[in-house]
Every structure is written in C-alpha cells, then in structure tokens.
Amino acid sequence: MTDADITTATTPVVDWQAWQESWDRQQEWYMPDREERFRIMLDMVEALVGPAPRVLDLACGTGTITARLLARFPEATSTGVDLDPALLAIAQGTFAGDERVSLVTADLKDPDWTAKLPYDSYDAVLTATALHWLHAEPLAALYGRVAEIVRDGGVFMNADHMIDETTPRINAAERARRHAQMDAAKAGGALDWSEWWQLAAKDPVLAGPTARRFEIYGEHADGDMPSAQWHARVLREKGFGEARPVWCSPSDTLLLALK
C-alpha cells in the first residue's frame, strides 16, 4: 500500500477505512488467528452480558474491537480509551458521527484515568494485544481499577501474549515456527510494525500525531508477559469471582474474568 492508497491528493480528506485495513494486515502478520480471538471474545460478551452491552475498549488503538463489536451488536455502545495520538486519530476518523462511540485520551498508568470515562460502570471491558507493554506491578494496579468499573456480573477479557516460562522447549519451538511463517509473509510483501509506522509518518494528516506518539512512547518495547495463571490469579485477587482462559493459540491467550 502506498500513501496514495490511503490519503487522496487533496488532503486532508483521508480514507480512514484504508488505514484500518492497513493496521489489520500489519497486526495479522504477527497474529494470523487475530480474528478468531475477536470472535470468541464477542461470543462470550453475548453469553454473559447480552447483545446490547456498554463496553470499555481498553487501550483501543484504532478501535479494532469497537468496530467488530458494533458490526455484530448494533445496539452496543463503546468507550475507547488510549494515549496514542496517531491510533486515536484513526479511531476518531473512523467513528466520527457515530453516537454509540466515545473516545477518551488517558494514560492507563495514571491512577485516576477512570475519572475521564463517561460512565461509572461497564458491562464489559475488552482489550487485545496491548497490555503486554506494562510491567507486572502497574498491570496488577490496572486490573484493580478495571475491577472497580466492571459491574457485578460483568466481564473483563484480555487477549494477549501470555508466556508459560515452565515450558521453555515448547516455547522455543513455537516461536521458531511462528517466525518462519512471518518471514515467508514478509517476503510476500507484508508490512511489519516499523514499516507501518514509517508509512504513517509520511502521511500529511497522521505525520503530526505519529511524531507525538513517538515522543510519548519511544520505540516499541515490551513490558512483562506473565502466564495466563498469573493473570487469572491477580484478577481474582483484585475482585473478580472467576477467571480462566476461554481461547488460546500456541502463543496467545484470551483470558476472561467474571465479576
């Protein structure tokens, strides 16, 4: 994809859907089963809180979860919260005029981030492939804040890299196979994380937000990726009644906690 595919020659008119699709393709390079985890996530939302939920899309990025939520459940509402100005710009462009969606700029490491939300409680808090940039201590603190805003009977779901350090040989074999597949896809023209951001930095509309994004975050760096057992234990300690995986791939887990 070139700049011309995304932004017209008469900027600032932007094809936000093209940016969404570009983000999806870049993320799928890392996670070819990405849509499956979203499907299971929404299956469990429907099973536990129904087809018209009030949802918090935590670390929402471009609004990937929100877009799939509203396509499946037209009566749902979503609050997206993130700090990344570039990804939020894409989300804002995508959902402009949709009264079901509100977007909030907040730092999830700020203990008062929930004060910026439009609602005191949510039926479901959903997040995917985002919280691995937090280390264990601030992640546990975040889980405590999430537990406070999920209503009784509501759910929290996190789909992310959750590594079991007790299985090093399995982990190494899985990683080698996954990276071989990624290398093959890259040879076929897939964009990686760095290349996608280079493309965004060249776009007349996204260049400014992208520059601010790198001022905030710097280069991409992971925090901790504890096991699914760690996540389930901490979520129960923070106030959820039940917590366990409801889907997993060889590298990732979708963990559900029920209040």
Side-chain angles (χ1 to χ4, degrees), residues 86-237:
L87 299 185
L88 279 173
I90 296 173
Q92 288 161 353
T94 300
F95 300 108
D98 192 332
E99 295 182 353
R100 299 171 297 177
V101 180
S102 55
L103 295 168
V104 175
T105 300
D107 185 347
L108 297 180
K109 291 182 288 186
D110 179 349
D112 296 324
W113 65 270
T114 56
K116 295 184 176 183
L117 301 178
Y119 303 106
D120 293 331
S121 68
Y122 288 84
D123 301 311
V125 177
L126 310 176
T127 188
T129 326
L131 302 188
H132 60 270
W133 50 263
L134 286 175
H135 291 289
E137 185 174 345
L139 179 56
L142 176 64
Y143 279 173
R145 299 298 286 142
V146 168
E148 293 173 359
I149 60 173
V150 173
R151 68 163 173 83
D152 288 345
V155 298
F156 167 71
M157 279 183 270
N158 179 15
D160 211 341
H161 316 310
M162 299 184 188
I163 307 302
D164 187 343
E165 300 293 351
T166 69
T167 59
R169 291 182 295 164
I170 296 172
N171 297 350
E174 182 281 322
R175 187 179 187 279
R177 180 180 181 276
R178 176 162 41 89
H179 279 262
Q181 292 177 316
M182 290 167 64
D183 289 344
K186 188 78 181 299
L191 293 178
D192 64 18
W193 172 269
S194 177
E195 290 167 333
W196 190 90
W197 282 108
Q198 290 172 20
L199 188 64
K202 295 176 183 177
D203 182 84
V205 173
L206 290 178
T210 297
R212 293 194 296 275
R213 185 248 179 233
F214 280 94
E215 289 174 0
I216 294 169
Y217 292 107
E219 294 299 326
H220 182 70
D222 286 331
D224 296 329
M225 288 181 276
S227 68
Q229 291 76 16
W230 181 94
H231 288 270
R233 174 180 59 78
V234 171
L235 285 162
R236 286 192 294 265
E237 290 172 354

Side-chain angles (χ1 to χ4, degrees), residues 20 59 70 107 154 180 193 199 211 242 247:
Q20 290 284 1
L70 298 180
D107 185 347
W193 172 269
L199 188 64
E242 301 176 13
W247 173 91

Side-chain angles (χ1 to χ4, degrees), residues 41-55:
M41 179 181 283
L42 296 181
D43 283 350
M44 298 310 296
V45 166
E46 184 173 22
L48 289 164
V49 298
R54 177 190 292 168
V55 170

